[in-house]
Each structure stands twice: as structure tokens, then as C-alpha cells.
mmCIF file of all heavy atoms in Angstrom:
data_model
loop_
_atom_site.group_PDB
_atom_site.id
_atom_site.type_symbol
_atom_site.label_atom_id
_atom_site.label_comp_id
_atom_site.label_asym_id
_atom_site.label_seq_id
_atom_site.Cartn_x
_atom_site.Cartn_y
_atom_site.Cartn_z
ATOM 1 N N GLU A 1 37.002 99.381 -70.962
ATOM 2 C CA GLU A 1 36.408 100.447 -70.196
ATOM 3 C C GLU A 1 37.381 101.603 -70.022
ATOM 4 O O GLU A 1 38.598 101.406 -69.986
ATOM 5 C CB GLU A 1 35.939 99.955 -68.824
ATOM 6 C CG GLU A 1 37.047 99.431 -67.925
ATOM 7 C CD GLU A 1 36.528 98.870 -66.614
ATOM 8 O OE1 GLU A 1 35.334 99.057 -66.299
ATOM 9 O OE2 GLU A 1 37.320 98.229 -65.890
ATOM 10 N N LEU A 2 36.825 102.784 -69.899
ATOM 11 C CA LEU A 2 37.621 103.973 -69.663
ATOM 12 C C LEU A 2 38.058 104.006 -68.208
ATOM 13 O O LEU A 2 37.228 103.984 -67.300
ATOM 14 C CB LEU A 2 36.815 105.227 -69.999
ATOM 15 C CG LEU A 2 37.479 106.569 -69.695
ATOM 16 C CD1 LEU A 2 38.690 106.781 -70.597
ATOM 17 C CD2 LEU A 2 36.482 107.703 -69.857
ATOM 18 N N VAL A 3 39.349 104.074 -67.989
ATOM 19 C CA VAL A 3 39.899 104.163 -66.645
ATOM 20 C C VAL A 3 39.987 105.612 -66.199
ATOM 21 O O VAL A 3 39.651 105.953 -65.064
ATOM 22 C CB VAL A 3 41.288 103.498 -66.573
ATOM 23 C CG1 VAL A 3 41.901 103.674 -65.183
ATOM 24 C CG2 VAL A 3 41.189 102.027 -66.939
ATOM 25 N N GLY A 4 40.450 106.456 -67.080
ATOM 26 C CA GLY A 4 40.555 107.874 -66.796
ATOM 27 C C GLY A 4 41.022 108.621 -68.016
ATOM 28 O O GLY A 4 41.560 108.032 -68.953
ATOM 29 N N GLN A 5 40.807 109.927 -68.014
ATOM 30 C CA GLN A 5 41.256 110.741 -69.124
ATOM 31 C C GLN A 5 41.537 112.157 -68.661
ATOM 32 O O GLN A 5 40.972 112.623 -67.667
ATOM 33 C CB GLN A 5 40.229 110.767 -70.262
ATOM 34 C CG GLN A 5 38.903 111.426 -69.911
ATOM 35 C CD GLN A 5 37.946 111.453 -71.081
ATOM 36 O OE1 GLN A 5 37.867 110.500 -71.849
ATOM 37 N NE2 GLN A 5 37.196 112.533 -71.201
ATOM 38 N N SER A 6 42.399 112.814 -69.387
ATOM 39 C CA SER A 6 42.704 114.214 -69.131
ATOM 40 C C SER A 6 42.585 114.993 -70.427
ATOM 41 O O SER A 6 42.933 114.501 -71.503
ATOM 42 C CB SER A 6 44.102 114.381 -68.532
ATOM 43 O OG SER A 6 45.108 114.019 -69.461
ATOM 44 N N THR A 7 42.091 116.218 -70.333
ATOM 45 C CA THR A 7 41.953 117.083 -71.492
ATOM 46 C C THR A 7 43.089 118.088 -71.525
ATOM 47 O O THR A 7 43.793 118.300 -70.538
ATOM 48 C CB THR A 7 40.618 117.834 -71.475
ATOM 49 O OG1 THR A 7 40.635 118.817 -70.426
ATOM 50 C CG2 THR A 7 39.463 116.883 -71.250
ATOM 51 N N SER A 8 43.246 118.704 -72.681
ATOM 52 C CA SER A 8 44.274 119.727 -72.822
ATOM 53 C C SER A 8 44.006 120.915 -71.915
ATOM 54 O O SER A 8 44.929 121.664 -71.589
ATOM 55 C CB SER A 8 44.373 120.188 -74.279
ATOM 56 O OG SER A 8 43.137 120.710 -74.731
ATOM 57 N N GLY A 9 42.745 121.075 -71.506
ATOM 58 C CA GLY A 9 42.382 122.144 -70.594
ATOM 59 C C GLY A 9 42.614 121.821 -69.135
ATOM 60 O O GLY A 9 42.417 122.690 -68.279
ATOM 61 N N GLY A 10 43.004 120.585 -68.839
ATOM 62 C CA GLY A 10 43.358 120.229 -67.478
ATOM 63 C C GLY A 10 42.308 119.476 -66.692
ATOM 64 O O GLY A 10 42.542 119.139 -65.528
ATOM 65 N N SER A 11 41.155 119.194 -67.290
ATOM 66 C CA SER A 11 40.138 118.441 -66.569
ATOM 67 C C SER A 11 40.455 116.958 -66.608
ATOM 68 O O SER A 11 40.953 116.442 -67.610
ATOM 69 C CB SER A 11 38.753 118.705 -67.155
ATOM 70 O OG SER A 11 38.658 118.225 -68.487
ATOM 71 N N ILE A 12 40.146 116.269 -65.517
ATOM 72 C CA ILE A 12 40.459 114.852 -65.375
ATOM 73 C C ILE A 12 39.251 114.127 -64.803
ATOM 74 O O ILE A 12 38.597 114.617 -63.882
ATOM 75 C CB ILE A 12 41.672 114.628 -64.459
ATOM 76 C CG1 ILE A 12 42.899 115.374 -64.998
ATOM 77 C CG2 ILE A 12 41.961 113.149 -64.314
ATOM 78 C CD1 ILE A 12 44.096 115.305 -64.086
ATOM 79 N N ILE A 13 38.963 112.960 -65.344
ATOM 80 C CA ILE A 13 37.916 112.112 -64.811
ATOM 81 C C ILE A 13 38.466 110.708 -64.636
ATOM 82 O O ILE A 13 39.417 110.314 -65.304
ATOM 83 C CB ILE A 13 36.656 112.089 -65.709
ATOM 84 C CG1 ILE A 13 36.991 111.518 -67.092
ATOM 85 C CG2 ILE A 13 36.042 113.470 -65.818
ATOM 86 C CD1 ILE A 13 35.768 111.269 -67.956
ATOM 87 N N TYR A 14 37.835 109.957 -63.725
ATOM 88 C CA TYR A 14 38.263 108.600 -63.434
ATOM 89 C C TYR A 14 37.072 107.659 -63.330
ATOM 90 O O TYR A 14 35.961 108.066 -62.964
ATOM 91 C CB TYR A 14 39.022 108.528 -62.108
ATOM 92 C CG TYR A 14 40.310 109.298 -62.066
ATOM 93 C CD1 TYR A 14 40.369 110.557 -61.490
ATOM 94 C CD2 TYR A 14 41.480 108.749 -62.579
ATOM 95 C CE1 TYR A 14 41.557 111.261 -61.439
ATOM 96 C CE2 TYR A 14 42.670 109.448 -62.533
ATOM 97 C CZ TYR A 14 42.699 110.705 -61.957
ATOM 98 O OH TYR A 14 43.889 111.402 -61.908
ATOM 99 N N LEU A 15 37.340 106.411 -63.613
ATOM 100 C CA LEU A 15 36.390 105.357 -63.319
ATOM 101 C C LEU A 15 36.174 105.311 -61.806
ATOM 102 O O LEU A 15 37.129 105.434 -61.031
ATOM 103 C CB LEU A 15 36.939 104.025 -63.824
ATOM 104 C CG LEU A 15 36.104 102.774 -63.664
ATOM 105 C CD1 LEU A 15 34.875 102.822 -64.554
ATOM 106 C CD2 LEU A 15 36.957 101.553 -64.007
ATOM 107 N N ASP A 16 34.935 105.138 -61.373
ATOM 108 C CA ASP A 16 34.635 105.175 -59.949
ATOM 109 C C ASP A 16 35.493 104.205 -59.138
ATOM 110 O O ASP A 16 35.944 104.528 -58.038
ATOM 111 C CB ASP A 16 33.157 104.867 -59.707
ATOM 112 C CG ASP A 16 32.246 106.028 -60.033
ATOM 113 O OD1 ASP A 16 32.746 107.157 -60.175
ATOM 114 O OD2 ASP A 16 31.026 105.809 -60.138
ATOM 115 N N SER A 17 35.724 103.025 -59.669
ATOM 116 C CA SER A 17 36.431 101.999 -58.922
ATOM 117 C C SER A 17 37.914 102.293 -58.726
ATOM 118 O O SER A 17 38.570 101.619 -57.925
ATOM 119 C CB SER A 17 36.260 100.636 -59.594
ATOM 120 O OG SER A 17 36.821 100.630 -60.888
ATOM 121 N N VAL A 18 38.457 103.276 -59.437
ATOM 122 C CA VAL A 18 39.874 103.596 -59.292
ATOM 123 C C VAL A 18 40.101 104.954 -58.651
ATOM 124 O O VAL A 18 41.258 105.325 -58.394
ATOM 125 C CB VAL A 18 40.624 103.537 -60.641
ATOM 126 C CG1 VAL A 18 40.356 102.211 -61.340
ATOM 127 C CG2 VAL A 18 40.246 104.709 -61.538
ATOM 128 N N LYS A 19 39.048 105.691 -58.383
ATOM 129 C CA LYS A 19 39.188 107.000 -57.759
ATOM 130 C C LYS A 19 39.890 106.873 -56.415
ATOM 131 O O LYS A 19 39.565 106.015 -55.608
ATOM 132 C CB LYS A 19 37.825 107.656 -57.569
ATOM 133 C CG LYS A 19 37.180 108.139 -58.847
ATOM 134 C CD LYS A 19 35.822 108.788 -58.573
ATOM 135 C CE LYS A 19 35.183 109.293 -59.851
ATOM 136 N NZ LYS A 19 33.838 109.866 -59.613
ATOM 137 N N GLY A 20 40.848 107.748 -56.207
ATOM 138 C CA GLY A 20 41.617 107.714 -54.979
ATOM 139 C C GLY A 20 42.818 106.807 -55.027
ATOM 140 O O GLY A 20 43.669 106.868 -54.132
ATOM 141 N N ARG A 21 42.893 105.958 -56.045
ATOM 142 C CA ARG A 21 44.016 105.036 -56.178
ATOM 143 C C ARG A 21 44.861 105.322 -57.424
ATOM 144 O O ARG A 21 46.078 105.152 -57.400
ATOM 145 C CB ARG A 21 43.527 103.592 -56.247
ATOM 146 C CG ARG A 21 42.767 103.134 -55.006
ATOM 147 C CD ARG A 21 42.488 101.629 -55.054
ATOM 148 N NE ARG A 21 41.630 101.269 -56.193
ATOM 149 C CZ ARG A 21 41.990 100.444 -57.168
ATOM 150 N NH1 ARG A 21 43.197 99.883 -57.170
ATOM 151 N NH2 ARG A 21 41.139 100.152 -58.153
ATOM 152 N N PHE A 22 44.217 105.741 -58.501
ATOM 153 C CA PHE A 22 44.907 106.002 -59.759
ATOM 154 C C PHE A 22 44.991 107.497 -60.007
ATOM 155 O O PHE A 22 44.070 108.250 -59.657
ATOM 156 C CB PHE A 22 44.164 105.366 -60.934
ATOM 157 C CG PHE A 22 44.215 103.866 -60.982
ATOM 158 C CD1 PHE A 22 44.683 103.120 -59.907
ATOM 159 C CD2 PHE A 22 43.785 103.202 -62.121
ATOM 160 C CE1 PHE A 22 44.719 101.734 -59.963
ATOM 161 C CE2 PHE A 22 43.822 101.819 -62.184
ATOM 162 C CZ PHE A 22 44.284 101.086 -61.109
ATOM 163 N N THR A 23 46.066 107.922 -60.652
ATOM 164 C CA THR A 23 46.262 109.323 -60.976
ATOM 165 C C THR A 23 46.832 109.459 -62.381
ATOM 166 O O THR A 23 47.835 108.824 -62.708
ATOM 167 C CB THR A 23 47.214 110.014 -59.985
ATOM 168 O OG1 THR A 23 46.712 109.871 -58.657
ATOM 169 C CG2 THR A 23 47.339 111.496 -60.319
ATOM 170 N N ILE A 24 46.184 110.279 -63.195
ATOM 171 C CA ILE A 24 46.680 110.596 -64.527
ATOM 172 C C ILE A 24 47.464 111.899 -64.474
ATOM 173 O O ILE A 24 47.029 112.863 -63.840
ATOM 174 C CB ILE A 24 45.528 110.724 -65.532
ATOM 175 C CG1 ILE A 24 44.867 109.375 -65.776
ATOM 176 C CG2 ILE A 24 46.005 111.309 -66.849
ATOM 177 C CD1 ILE A 24 43.635 109.465 -66.643
ATOM 178 N N SER A 25 48.591 111.919 -65.137
ATOM 179 C CA SER A 25 49.363 113.142 -65.249
ATOM 180 C C SER A 25 49.949 113.245 -66.647
ATOM 181 O O SER A 25 50.069 112.247 -67.360
ATOM 182 C CB SER A 25 50.474 113.202 -64.196
ATOM 183 O OG SER A 25 51.383 112.132 -64.350
ATOM 184 N N ARG A 26 50.288 114.462 -67.030
ATOM 185 C CA ARG A 26 50.831 114.724 -68.362
ATOM 186 C C ARG A 26 52.128 115.492 -68.242
ATOM 187 O O ARG A 26 52.255 116.395 -67.418
ATOM 188 C CB ARG A 26 49.842 115.543 -69.206
ATOM 189 C CG ARG A 26 48.476 114.919 -69.379
ATOM 190 C CD ARG A 26 47.477 115.927 -69.944
ATOM 191 N NE ARG A 26 47.797 116.345 -71.305
ATOM 192 C CZ ARG A 26 46.939 116.363 -72.317
ATOM 193 N NH1 ARG A 26 45.678 115.975 -72.127
ATOM 194 N NH2 ARG A 26 47.316 116.783 -73.506
ATOM 195 N N ASP A 27 53.078 115.121 -69.057
ATOM 196 C CA ASP A 27 54.320 115.857 -69.178
ATOM 197 C C ASP A 27 54.444 116.241 -70.646
ATOM 198 O O ASP A 27 54.940 115.465 -71.466
ATOM 199 C CB ASP A 27 55.510 115.021 -68.724
ATOM 200 C CG ASP A 27 56.795 115.831 -68.655
ATOM 201 O OD1 ASP A 27 56.905 116.849 -69.362
ATOM 202 O OD2 ASP A 27 57.695 115.438 -67.891
ATOM 203 N N ASN A 28 53.975 117.428 -70.973
ATOM 204 C CA ASN A 28 53.964 117.859 -72.363
ATOM 205 C C ASN A 28 55.372 117.980 -72.947
ATOM 206 O O ASN A 28 55.569 117.746 -74.141
ATOM 207 C CB ASN A 28 53.230 119.191 -72.497
ATOM 208 C CG ASN A 28 51.741 119.060 -72.280
ATOM 209 O OD1 ASN A 28 51.145 118.019 -72.554
ATOM 210 N ND2 ASN A 28 51.122 120.130 -71.796
ATOM 211 N N ALA A 29 56.323 118.345 -72.122
ATOM 212 C CA ALA A 29 57.693 118.476 -72.597
ATOM 213 C C ALA A 29 58.254 117.146 -73.064
ATOM 214 O O ALA A 29 59.082 117.093 -73.977
ATOM 215 C CB ALA A 29 58.582 119.066 -71.510
ATOM 216 N N LYS A 30 57.818 116.069 -72.439
ATOM 217 C CA LYS A 30 58.272 114.732 -72.803
ATOM 218 C C LYS A 30 57.275 113.998 -73.691
ATOM 219 O O LYS A 30 57.513 112.842 -74.052
ATOM 220 C CB LYS A 30 58.538 113.903 -71.552
ATOM 221 C CG LYS A 30 59.656 114.436 -70.675
ATOM 222 C CD LYS A 30 59.886 113.532 -69.467
ATOM 223 C CE LYS A 30 61.026 114.048 -68.614
ATOM 224 N NZ LYS A 30 61.250 113.174 -67.428
ATOM 225 N N ASN A 31 56.179 114.661 -74.023
ATOM 226 C CA ASN A 31 55.135 114.046 -74.844
ATOM 227 C C ASN A 31 54.695 112.706 -74.253
ATOM 228 O O ASN A 31 54.543 111.714 -74.970
ATOM 229 C CB ASN A 31 55.608 113.868 -76.287
ATOM 230 C CG ASN A 31 55.860 115.178 -76.986
ATOM 231 O OD1 ASN A 31 55.126 116.152 -76.785
ATOM 232 N ND2 ASN A 31 56.892 115.223 -77.814
#
């Protein structure tokens, strides 16, 4: 199942059961 995803444009979605507990972040400099 999809837990969460982020797009290059900055949009983020999460699985309902993890909302508020999980956070996706990106560090492009570190790939």
C-alpha cells in the first residue's frame, strides 16, 4: 500500500491511517 508520496512540485499525500503521525520530506541536495 501507498504510505505517502511527494511530487517535484511540492504536493504531498498520505495514507489516512498515518496522517498526523508520518511526514515525508525531501533533501534534493543529498538526493
Side-chain angles (χ1 to χ4, degrees):
E1 62 184 349
L2 175 67
V3 176
Q5 65 179 39
S6 67
T7 70
S8 59
S11 65
I12 302 175
I13 62 171
Y14 296 99
L15 182 68
D16 284 345
S17 63
V18 308
K19 288 180 179 177
R21 299 188 297 119
F22 290 12
T23 303
I24 292 174
S25 61
R26 303 167 66 131
D27 188 335
N28 289 330
K30 296 182 179 180
N31 295 322

